[in-house]
Amino acid sequence: MAKITYIAHDGSERTVDVKPGLSVMEGAVKNNVPGIDADCGGACACATCHVYVQEPWLDKVGKPSAMEESMLDFAEGVEPNSRLSCQIKVSDALDGLVVKTPESQH
Ligand code: FES
């Protein structure tokens, strides 16, 4: 299990155990963590699972694929540390990952 912390826009935090192999989006949805809508269910087709990856995790999480980058264009408030959480696969190497959810997913 990897511990993933989700920080909401209002600063409230939730840390949950997520099974390696699931996505950061699935970890939120399965644990009823608010702030991630995931309308397309993880197909990289909606951009409503936008999160900001917090330092020092950016390098470990890696860069978005070309498809993810073009889908991120549909998200609001995109920053250099923006990712679509359905495209981040949880592994033991990401134990402790911290992501922030935006004010809204549209
Ligand atoms: S859940 Fe739709 S792009 Fe991630």
Side-chain angles (χ1 to χ4, degrees):
M1 288 291 194
K3 285 204 184 307
I4 312 285
T5 298
Y6 301 84
I7 305 177
H9 184 73
D10 66 5
S12 60
E13 291 185 17
R14 279 277 310 275
T15 300
V16 296
D17 288 319
V18 183
K19 211 164 135 198
L22 294 181
S23 68
V24 171
M25 174 279 277
E26 289 169 318
V29 170
K30 281 184 192 303
N31 291 287
N32 298 316
V33 176
I36 293 178
D37 295 347
D39 290 341
C40 77
C44 197
C46 71
T48 64
C49 63
H50 178 204
V51 296
Y52 302 104
V53 175
Q54 303 299 285
E55 288 289 6
W57 293 98
L58 265 183
D59 284 350
K60 287 204 180 75
V61 164
K63 297 256 177 274
S65 65
M67 183 165 100
E68 183 183 338
E69 286 225 9
S70 49
M71 193 45 63
L72 264 171
D73 288 344
F74 293 95
E76 255 175 39
V78 172
E79 301 285 347
N81 62 341
S82 287
R83 290 292 309 268
L84 295 179
S85 57
C86 71
Q87 301 301 303
I88 305 174
K89 198 178 244 187
V90 173
S91 65
D92 290 336
L94 294 186
D95 184 27
L97 174 69
V98 183
V99 298
K100 221 171 183 170
T101 51
E103 186 171 10
S104 101
Q105 289 289 356
H106 283 289

